[in-house]
Amino acid sequence: MLNLLMTPRTARKVRGLIGAIADVAADAVRSVINPAALVADQAEPAPVEAPDPAGLYEPDEIPAVATIEQAAREYERAADAARRADRGKRAAKKILDRLPAGVYGMYRVFRTPSSRQTPDLAEITRIFKAHNLGPVPMKACAPSLKVELVDVAPVATELAGVAA
């Protein structure tokens, strides 16, 4: 009945809110019955690793460890700078998005139409449903490259003895 009065987007939001309220209520009940379970539930899950893509270095082509470390350090620094810049850009955009086009001090604020296009998933879904084609086929996005600094234990002395 509720769905008849709302757009699909609003219905999703309402279902999401109901789910969030149910989660909060379940946490409240668990906090009374078994408070330790809440702490155990918040353990950070291990990151899922995607399989390696095609086109990687062959074993004899892999650069020196120092070169790899330098590239990883630079990647991590650049990714951190990009995240900081993106946060600043979003904060500024919150103000600028609400301004009408015009000149403000030394800056002109205006909008241009985008040349990019994206599939209209709502329309594609409607067509699939109208022709009984089942769910819209989807494919996974490319895996994200992650870099993190790890503590490396010194090489074990027994390995050095075996090599000698």
Side-chain angles (χ1 to χ4, degrees), residues 5 11 13 58 73 78 92 94 108 120 161:
L5 303 174
K13 285 182 183 176
E58 294 297 325
R73 191 177 308 108
K94 279 183 180 179
R108 177 177 167 226
D120 183 353

Side-chain angles (χ1 to χ4, degrees), residues 7-121:
T7 65
R9 176 181 287 163
T10 307
R12 275 195 303 274
K13 285 182 183 176
V14 169
R15 283 194 302 269
L17 287 173
I18 291 170
I21 292 169
D23 289 344
V24 169
D27 284 348
V29 170
R30 273 191 277 159
S31 70
V32 172
I33 296 171
N34 187 5
L38 289 176
V39 176
D41 287 350
Q42 294 179 6
E44 192 170 310
V48 177
E49 289 193 24
D52 286 336
L56 300 179
Y57 286 121
E58 294 297 325
D60 58 333
E61 298 176 321
I62 294 177
V65 172
T67 304
I68 296 170
E69 285 179 338
Q70 180 185 3
R73 191 177 308 108
E74 178 59 21
Y75 182 87
E76 187 176 34
R77 187 204 60 76
D80 187 48
R83 280 189 293 272
R84 276 188 269 123
D86 193 46
R87 282 192 296 270
K89 184 177 164 184
R90 277 186 303 219
K93 193 172 182 197
K94 279 183 180 179
I95 296 168
L96 298 174
D97 267 350
R98 297 191 60 199
L99 289 174
V103 176
Y104 298 91
M106 296 176 15
Y107 293 93
R108 177 177 167 226
V109 176
F110 63 103
R111 290 159 184 82
T112 59
S114 174
S115 61
R116 291 176 42 185
Q117 292 185 330
T118 183
D120 183 353
L121 290 180

